[in-house]
Amino acid sequence: MPKTTADRDARRDAKRAVKEAERAGKQARKLASSLPEPAKSRVKSVASAERRRIVIVKREADRVPYAARRAARRSSARLERVSVRYGTAGGRASSADASRTGGAAKSIERQRKQVKRPSNMAIVSGFRTLFSAITTPTDQERARKTAKERVRRMNRGD
């Protein structure tokens, strides 16, 4: 049976949806690694379950493209939902229809970056404190410097 353009388009769309679901899965696993323990295990378990589904869907993409596309998008949506639930957005999705527009991976990535932000801020704050402690002169050094300046002024006759 010859392949029509509609069949090719359907297979192409299915493969594109599978790729997007794989990207979302990868971002979900990265998100899990940056979460604290109770949420980490839950996100990891959902990500591994969806990974298995995506592998099955990937095999079926050529044979039943419409069902494969639907299943891949469903997996993306599940991964996005779990990232919103355990990320820092407080249960709100960054974009309501991200999984339909192919942005589930981006949405999960935003969640991951949001989760990492407080720890990054703590690190930067620690470095700033350390740097200011090193570069700020002590009271003795400041007193020595002002004494030297007074002696120089007296010698110049100011």
Side-chain angles (χ1 to χ4, degrees), residues 14-157:
K15 287 178 182 178
R16 198 171 289 137
V18 167
K19 281 287 182 196
E20 174 58 31
E22 286 174 336
R23 271 189 234 112
K26 183 178 179 182
Q27 289 298 330
R29 286 189 300 278
K30 283 183 180 180
L31 171 69
S33 68
S34 58
L35 288 172
E37 187 40 52
K40 181 181 196 171
S41 59
R42 290 183 182 137
V43 173
K44 266 189 176 178
S45 67
V46 170
S48 65
E50 292 305 322
R51 187 183 213 177
R52 285 191 297 271
R53 283 190 188 111
I54 291 167
V55 167
I56 293 166
V57 166
K58 192 174 187 177
R59 275 187 257 141
E60 297 292 316
D62 278 335
R63 219 168 38 85
V64 258
Y66 292 108
R69 188 183 78 186
R70 189 171 55 247
R73 285 185 174 177
R74 193 173 289 151
S75 287
S76 294
R78 281 189 195 115
L79 289 165
E80 185 181 12
R81 256 195 317 273
V82 81
S83 76
V84 167
R85 186 177 302 135
Y86 295 108
T88 57
R92 292 183 329 269
S94 301
S95 59
D97 59 345
S99 56
R100 270 180 267 137
T101 59
K106 289 285 185 186
S107 173
I108 297 169
E109 185 178 8
R110 269 184 250 124
Q111 290 292 325
R112 183 173 54 86
K113 286 180 181 175
Q114 240 177 329
V115 166
K116 282 187 170 184
R117 206 168 288 150
S119 63
N120 287 349
M121 284 169 39
I123 292 168
V124 168
S125 174
F127 275 126
R128 283 184 180 150
T129 305
L130 182 68
F131 183 73
S132 66
I134 291 169
T135 58
T136 306
T138 62
D139 291 338
Q140 281 182 333
E141 289 170 341
R142 210 176 275 139
R144 217 177 285 133
K145 191 173 181 181
T146 52
K148 280 183 181 179
E149 286 175 3
R150 283 185 187 144
V151 168
R152 283 186 195 129
R153 271 193 236 126
M154 285 172 41
N155 288 340
R156 282 187 302 203

